[in-house]
């Protein structure tokens, strides 16, 4: 702690030095920590990068309440030439707390002393006076940007617009860490490979959406769920919408496929919006509130001749306008929308899976009509025409939990085990 170093004529004291050894390899990093609303300073970090380079250290690690918009990105801009030999890495206090909770509560700690120490760290970081703050501010430009969107006067070059988009991505990352801490799994914002390689592309996309449509949109990936949780903040309408897309079953009538989804939403609120999309369809699909779909599944079937391929389930809620935390704020509205949508909808949805194929039963010897000569009875697979539907598993699409019969599907009613009887030849 507070290790002294000399750089030129200056004596500097980084908050700490960490050295980890494993076998013949050693990794060393200087550590700089900020708490509360204190932000990292570029000049200070560049000095520490110079010290690390002169001493052959591997990295400079910073910890603060600043949450970068993209994972792996540092919240403070420094001279990139100083990063040629030394890495600059960052952790937010939210990230530290999330990792600590997941390790202690979900993965486990074998050593009782280490488990106790980790528990004390969690208790300390969760205390409001620890200085490890949650994401609590959309920035100074939030109100001006929100008002410009409402008035239709927002321009890409307006002051603070880029800060608002970056804060929105940071809020998504904070919401992911927060949800992951509750679920005990790694929840991450969804970014394309190009956006991960060049974060400015994500900023440009958000900026264009905000200026043209007045919306901010992002997605969260939660392991083992049916799809991505997509969040859209509409600053024109002052609404926040969460939705998830789910593939429809690949068999059954259209209304049967709708009922398959409705059964999974039996405890969901009535004001959910359910939208159905058909194969090779263009534009929006048929959409209704869940309460209407429960009463009449056919309201989502615009054309019975077209195959339903997917559904979209969405929930809308009011958007807070204030920049900070508390009642009526944008941040709390987003966090509440994410938690409610996952708890009421996403955690109950399961993807459809087809039942495994079953073996055709072999015909028993002598299993034919007595008056028909055995030579005229065909038991070959090629002669037993007529498609047969397989019984479904518990996740099948039918109303009673099993697959439709061949008659109901209009396929035919010949049983696979019944031999085909050829007529006797005339004398």
């Amino acid at each position: 702690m507070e290790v002294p170093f000399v750089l030129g004529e200056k004596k500097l004291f980084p908050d700490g030095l960490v050295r980890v050894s494993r076998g013949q390899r050693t990794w060393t990093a200087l550590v700089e920590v900020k708490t509360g609303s204190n932000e990292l300073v570029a000049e200070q970090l560049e000095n520490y990068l110079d010290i690390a380079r002169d001493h052959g250290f591997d990295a400079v690690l910073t910890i603060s309440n600043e949450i970068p918009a993209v994972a792996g990105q540092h919240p403070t801009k420094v001279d990139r030439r100083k990063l040629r030999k030394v890495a600059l890495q960052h952790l937010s206090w939210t990230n530290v707390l999330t990792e600590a909770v997941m390790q202690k509560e979900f993965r486990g700690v074998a050593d009782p002393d280490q488990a106790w120490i980790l528990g004390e760290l969690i208790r300390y970081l969760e205390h409001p006076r620890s200085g490890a703050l949650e994401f609590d501010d959309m920035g100074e430009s939030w109100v001006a940007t929100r008002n410009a969107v409402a008035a239709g006067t927002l321009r890409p070059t307006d002051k603070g617009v880029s800060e608002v988009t970056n804060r929105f991505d940071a809020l998504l990352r904070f919401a992911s860490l927060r949800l992951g801490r509750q679920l005990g799994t790694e929840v991450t914002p969804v970014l394309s490979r190009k956006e991960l390689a060049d974060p400015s592309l994500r900023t440009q996309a958000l900026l264009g959406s905000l200026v043209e449509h007045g919306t901010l949109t992002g997605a969260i990936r939660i392991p083992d769920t049916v799809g991505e949780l997509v969040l859209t903040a509409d600053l024109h309408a002052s609404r926040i919408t969460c939705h998830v897309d789910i593939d429809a079953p690949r068999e059954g009538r259209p209304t049967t496929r709708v009922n398959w989804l409705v059964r999974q939403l039996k405890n969901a609120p009535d004001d959910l919006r359910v939208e159905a999309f058909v194969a090779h369809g263009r534009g929006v699909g048929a959409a209704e509130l869940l309460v209407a779909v429960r009463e009449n599944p056919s309201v989502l079937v615009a054309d019975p001749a077209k195959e339903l391929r997917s559904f979209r389930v969405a929930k809308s809620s009011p958007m807070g306008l204030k920049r900070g935390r508390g009642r009526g704020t944008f941040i709390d509205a987003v966090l509440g929308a994410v938690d409610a949508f996952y708890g009421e909808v996403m955690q109950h949805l399961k993807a459809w899976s087809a039942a495994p194929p079953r073996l055709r039963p072999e015909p028993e010897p002598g299993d034919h009509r007595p008056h028909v000569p055995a030579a005229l009875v065909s038991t070959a697979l090629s002669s037993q025409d007529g498609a047969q539907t397989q019984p479904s598993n518990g996740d099948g699409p039918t109303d009673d939990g099993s697959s439709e019969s061949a008659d109901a599907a209009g396929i035919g009613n010949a049983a696979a085990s019944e031999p085909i009887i050829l007529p006797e030849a005339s004398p």
Side-chain angles (χ1 to χ4, degrees), residues 171-232:
L171 174 57
L172 274 183
R173 182 159 173 75
F174 173 72
S176 301
L177 291 169
R178 184 172 175 268
L179 184 60
R181 190 161 71 235
Q182 300 176 61
L183 300 177
T185 187
E186 186 176 7
V187 180
T188 57
V190 179
L191 295 173
S192 66
R193 291 183 179 179
K194 290 183 179 180
E195 289 172 340
L196 287 172
D198 185 2
S200 64
L201 295 177
R202 167 66 179 168
T203 302
Q204 293 172 8
L206 270 180
L207 189 60
S209 175
L210 185 60
V211 172
E212 294 179 18
H213 309 292
T215 59
L216 293 167
T217 303
I220 295 174
R221 180 176 292 116
I222 307 166
D224 303 322
T225 54
V226 295
E228 299 168 353
L229 192 161
V230 182
L231 183 141
T232 301

Side-chain angles (χ1 to χ4, degrees), residues 25-64:
R25 299 184 58 185
T26 300
W27 181 85
T28 307
L30 295 178
V31 181
E32 178 61 23
V33 176
K34 301 291 184 183
T35 57
S37 59
N38 298 316
E39 297 184 351
L40 298 164
V41 181
E43 180 182 0
Q44 184 183 37
L45 297 185
E46 290 177 354
N47 287 336
Y48 293 165
L49 288 170
D50 290 338
I51 293 174
R53 180 199 60 208
D54 294 343
H55 289 77
F57 298 158
D58 299 278
V60 172
L61 172 64
T62 60
I63 306 175
S64 73

Side-chain angles (χ1 to χ4, degrees), residues 184-380:
T185 187
E186 186 176 7
V187 180
T188 57
V190 179
L191 295 173
S192 66
R193 291 183 179 179
K194 290 183 179 180
E195 289 172 340
L196 287 172
D198 185 2
S200 64
L201 295 177
R202 167 66 179 168
T203 302
Q204 293 172 8
L206 270 180
L207 189 60
S209 175
L210 185 60
V211 172
E212 294 179 18
H213 309 292
T215 59
L216 293 167
T217 303
I220 295 174
R221 180 176 292 116
I222 307 166
D224 303 322
T225 54
V226 295
E228 299 168 353
L229 192 161
V230 182
L231 183 141
T232 301
D234 189 335
L235 274 64
H236 278 305
S238 295
R239 303 289 294 180
I240 293 176
T241 302
C242 294
H243 80 256
V244 64
D245 294 331
I246 179 172
D247 291 335
R250 290 293 178 260
E251 62 183 37
R253 297 185 303 269
T255 53
T256 303
R257 303 184 188 197
V258 174
N259 282 328
W260 168 83
L261 176 65
V262 171
R263 283 197 306 274
Q264 298 192 66
L265 298 173
K266 60 182 180 180
N267 296 322
D270 291 338
D271 60 350
L272 284 184
R273 187 180 76 250
V274 183
E275 191 170 358
F277 299 93
V278 299
H280 312 297
R282 294 182 179 180
V284 297
E288 281 290 348
L289 294 181
L290 180 59
V291 62
V293 179
R294 282 171 173 157
E295 295 178 359
N296 183 15
S298 62
V299 295
L300 291 183
V301 183
D303 186 351
K306 294 184 178 180
E307 181 184 10
L308 288 183
R309 297 305 300 270
S310 64
F311 299 103
R312 174 170 292 179
V313 182
K315 180 177 175 59
S316 180
S317 57
M319 185 189 82
L321 301 178
K322 301 176 184 178
R323 56 179 273 191
R325 294 295 302 272
R327 186 175 181 179
T329 63
F330 178 75
I331 296 174
D332 279 29
V334 168
L335 298 177
V338 169
D339 290 349
F341 187 74
Y342 182 82
E344 296 174 353
V345 179
M346 284 195 64
Q347 70 175 352
H348 302 294
L349 292 177
K350 294 182 180 180
W352 177 80
S353 60
R358 297 194 177 188
L359 292 172
R360 294 177 77 114
E362 292 291 336
E364 296 293 335
D367 185 13
H368 52 79
R369 297 180 185 178
H371 66 279
V372 179
L376 299 181
V377 178
S378 174
T379 58

Side-chain angles (χ1 to χ4, degrees), residues 375-395:
L376 299 181
V377 178
S378 174
T379 58
L381 292 178
S382 60
S383 69
Q384 299 189 15
D385 301 324
Q388 302 295 318
T389 57
Q390 301 293 337
S392 173
N393 57 13
D395 294 331

Side-chain angles (χ1 to χ4, degrees), residues 91-108:
L91 290 173
S92 67
W93 283 115
T94 299
N95 189 228
V96 173
L97 177 58
T98 298
E99 286 294 328
V101 171
M102 289 177 61
Q103 184 65 47
K104 185 176 187 299
E105 302 298 331
F106 296 97
R107 300 176 190 144

Side-chain angles (χ1 to χ4, degrees), residues 14-29:
D15 289 324
L17 182 147
V18 176
R19 175 166 289 156
V20 182
S21 298
R22 176 173 294 179
Q24 300 298 319
R25 299 184 58 185
T26 300
W27 181 85
T28 307

